[in-house]
Amino acid sequence: MENARNRDPSAIYEDLVAALEAQVKKQEEIIQIQDETIQALQKHNEELAAFLDYCYERH
């Protein structure tokens, strides 16, 4: 790997921007997955609550 001191500052800047853009994209993917997980858990909790209500009403 080339020593950073010998590199053109604009090339270093471009690499840094590309790395930050990749990080933001990965964070957006993680947030999307977390949102989908939360929605699935909320649905599961609603179904579980309905089941428990049904069981409680039967006794």
Side-chain angles (χ1 to χ4, degrees):
M1 181 170 193
E2 188 177 354
N3 188 335
R5 293 181 197 177
N6 298 332
R7 294 184 64 205
D8 178 25
S10 63
I12 295 170
Y13 175 79
E14 289 175 11
D15 288 347
L16 179 59
V17 169
L20 291 172
E21 287 174 345
Q23 180 181 1
V24 168
K25 181 179 178 187
K26 183 54 77 177
Q27 287 173 332
E28 289 172 346
E29 291 172 2
I30 291 169
I31 290 168
Q32 178 64 31
I33 291 168
Q34 289 173 331
D35 185 51
E36 292 170 3
T37 302
I38 289 168
Q39 289 178 21
L41 289 171
Q42 286 174 331
K43 181 180 178 189
H44 172 74
N45 286 345
E46 290 168 4
E47 292 170 351
L48 182 57
F51 175 73
L52 292 174
D53 287 343
Y54 170 78
C55 290
Y56 178 74
E57 291 171 1
R58 306 243 327 145
H59 286 93

